[in-house]
């Protein structure tokens, strides 16, 4: 039985990963500084050895890596606009934090590090779908930071033999994603706003599109990346998406049906640092890991809205 360390374990993706690992009986340690992660996400993760600490706290990180086989490194300040407004904290968490994870992984003799990389690395390269072999063209500080982390991963594989796998996430959504911050992912925000009867705001004309991917597909690929033979995955970078894209306008139409929202949609200026379209080629992940995104967009949105509804249900007396 592998022993896992999840960084960002109280976050959206980290807590979903912890739940899946605990359910199949793995030993899980979780680290989170609770800056964007939330304690409520840990409520049902009783079996996890949770530690509240920052990735910049080297002593805490060193202790957390002890006896670990695989690290699923999800901790980050995961927002494009936040990195535009405040590049420094974002740089420290996303680049220095990732560098520390690699240093301590190596020190502890961890076998593999699976890293939450980002499709934002592609930037405005005009070709769709995005293929891993394309030259990256990051726009926002966040995109540069995530790409730098990825390159550090590959470097630590090349020079130290640490098994690293970088997963370029394309807009993951689903239960446990925080809907409540101005930096929240668009589907989390819109689902909750429309359920509450609040007006959602689209930045731009709404024709921008994303390869939105449901969280269960992301969990699946992390588990595959953690266990696939090194010859298939070590030192490599993979797109994690569905291979389909939806515009924000289409998304709002689907959400209207799922939430019953009948109100207006507000249009505001485009967001700085945003990319227009995003769509992945997922051939590589299919080939090397057997990744198969089982939950499609509409089914994912159905499950997501159902989950946000449970948050709105009045507490039982
Ligand atoms: C998202 C992730 C990022 C990940 C990247 C991979 C979040 C918060 N960010 O970035 O971590 O690396 O995907 O592709 O999950 N929008 C609105 N109204 C809103 C909020 C957003 O119109 O209220 C628009 C944005 O301007 C953008 C689109 O929705 O055009 C998606 O935005 P967002 O959900 O923040 O995700 P990305 O920036 O694509």
């Amino acid at each position: 039985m592998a022993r896992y360390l999840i960084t960002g374990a109280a976050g959206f993706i980290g807590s979903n990963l912890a739940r899946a690992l605990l359910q199949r009986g793995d030993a899980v340690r979780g680290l989170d500084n609770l800056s964007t992660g939330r304690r409520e996400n840990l409520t049902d993760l009783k079996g996890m050895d949770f530690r509240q600490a920052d990735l910049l706290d080297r002593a805490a990180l060193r202790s957390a890596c002890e006896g670990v086989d695989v690290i699923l490194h999800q901790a980050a300040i995961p927002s494009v606009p936040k990195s535009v407004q405040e590049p420094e904290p974002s740089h420290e968490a996303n680049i220095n934090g990732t560098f520390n994870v690699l240093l301590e992984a190596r020190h502890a003799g961890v076998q593999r590090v699976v890293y939450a990389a980002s499709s934002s690395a592609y930037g405005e390269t005009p070709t769709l779908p995005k293929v891993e072999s394309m030259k990256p063209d990051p726009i926002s500080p966040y995109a540069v930071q995530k790409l730098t982390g990825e390159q550090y991963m590959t470097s630590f594989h090349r020079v130290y033999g640490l098994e690293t796998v970088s997963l370029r996430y394309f807009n993951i959504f689903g239960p446990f994603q925080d809907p409540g911050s101005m930096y929240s992912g668009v589907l989390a925000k819109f689902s909750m706003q429309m359920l509450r009867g609040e007006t959602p705001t689209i930045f731009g004309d709404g024709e921008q599109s994303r390869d939105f991917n449901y969280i269960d597909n992301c969990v699946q690929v992390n588990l595959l990346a953690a266990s696939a033979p090194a010859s298939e995955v070590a030192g490599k970078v993979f797109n994690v998406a569905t291979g389909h894209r939806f515009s924000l306008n289409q998304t709002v139409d689907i959400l209207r049906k799922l939430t019953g929202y009948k109100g207006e949609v507000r249009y505001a200026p485009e967001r700085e640092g945003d990319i227009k379209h995003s769509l992945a080629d997922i051939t590589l992940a299919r080939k090397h890991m057997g990744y198969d995104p089982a939950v499609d967009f509409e089914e994912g949105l159905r499950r997501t809205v159902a989950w946000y509804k449970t948050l709105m249900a009045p507490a039982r007396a």
Side-chain angles (χ1 to χ4, degrees):
M1 190 174 71
R3 289 153 305 175
Y4 289 86
L5 168 65
I6 301 175
T7 70
F12 160 47
I13 297 175
S15 63
N16 275 288
L17 288 170
R19 191 166 298 106
L21 287 169
L22 290 168
Q23 269 165 13
R24 64 173 209 190
D26 284 289
V28 184
R29 187 174 292 153
L31 201 71
D32 203 301
N33 65 1
L34 299 180
S35 69
T36 58
R38 298 183 308 155
R39 261 196 200 285
E40 302 94 275
N41 290 351
L42 302 172
T43 313
D44 66 329
L45 303 177
K46 300 279 183 258
M48 177 164 71
D49 167 14
F50 178 72
R51 302 167 182 206
Q52 184 177 346
D54 198 282
L55 293 183
L56 303 179
D57 177 350
R58 286 286 292 279
L61 191 54
R62 177 155 297 192
S63 153
C65 287
E66 265 169 35
V68 165
D69 302 309
V70 178
I71 299 177
L72 303 177
H73 174 37
Q74 312 299 310
I77 297 184
S79 162
V80 171
K82 203 167 183 174
S83 80
V84 174
Q85 270 143 34
E86 292 182 85
E88 253 182 83
S90 171
H91 178 103
E92 278 167 20
N94 298 344
I95 295 187
N96 300 345
T98 295
F99 183 56
N100 286 350
V101 167
L102 284 168
L103 290 174
E104 294 305 334
R106 180 171 175 241
H107 179 266
V110 170
Q111 192 182 345
R112 186 170 295 186
V113 181
V114 179
Y115 169 63
S118 170
S119 66
S120 56
Y122 292 111
E124 284 293 25
T125 45
T127 321
L128 292 177
K130 310 294 186 198
V131 182
E132 292 87 341
S133 54
M134 282 176 179
K135 186 174 170 286
D137 185 20
I139 299 172
S140 62
Y142 172 78
V144 172
Q145 294 153 12
K146 279 284 164 181
L147 179 62
T148 305
E150 201 182 272
Q151 290 175 330
Y152 261 131
M153 290 287 148
T154 310
S155 165
F156 269 60
H157 175 64
R158 287 191 175 152
V159 300
Y160 305 123
L162 180 66
E163 293 175 12
T164 64
V165 190
S166 292
L167 303 175
R168 281 188 182 166
Y169 296 162
F170 285 63
N171 297 73
I172 315 290
F173 70 98
F176 296 93
Q177 189 170 28
D178 178 9
S181 132
M182 64 183 286
Y183 299 118
S184 294
V186 67
L187 297 182
K189 263 173 98 173
F190 283 8
S191 301
M192 205 58 180
Q193 287 169 336
M194 290 166 82
L195 279 172
R196 286 187 174 139
E198 296 166 6
T199 307
T201 301
I202 290 183
F203 301 129
D205 62 5
E207 285 309 302
Q208 69 263 50
S209 60
R210 295 289 185 273
D211 191 332
F212 291 110
N213 195 8
Y214 187 66
I215 181 68
D216 286 15
N217 302 329
C218 174
V219 169
Q220 179 208 82
V221 79
N222 270 275
L223 303 185
L224 291 168
S227 60
S231 56
E232 297 290 328
V233 297
K236 294 199 172 106
V237 175
F238 297 98
N239 286 341
V240 168
T242 67
H244 304 282
R245 71 188 162 106
F246 288 82
S247 71
L248 286 192
N249 289 329
Q250 288 175 313
T251 299
V252 164
D253 286 345
I254 299 170
L255 280 174
R256 276 185 189 282
K257 282 187 224 138
L258 294 173
T259 61
Y261 180 75
K262 300 206 169 27
E264 305 267 287
V265 172
R266 188 179 302 123
Y267 288 83
E270 246 176 60
R271 220 172 52 179
E272 224 172 311
D274 260 6
I275 55 166
K276 187 80 184 170
H277 299 294
S278 180
L279 174 71
D281 180 315
I282 54 171
T283 309
L284 214 61
R286 280 192 195 280
K287 178 169 168 230
H288 292 280
M289 296 187 274
Y291 167 61
D292 182 21
V295 184
D296 69 21
F297 180 58
E298 295 206 28
E299 174 58 21
L301 264 188
R302 245 189 305 280
R303 295 186 194 182
T304 302
V305 169
W307 188 80
Y308 286 120
K309 273 187 186 160
T310 67
L311 293 189
M312 297 181 58
R316 265 184 281 164

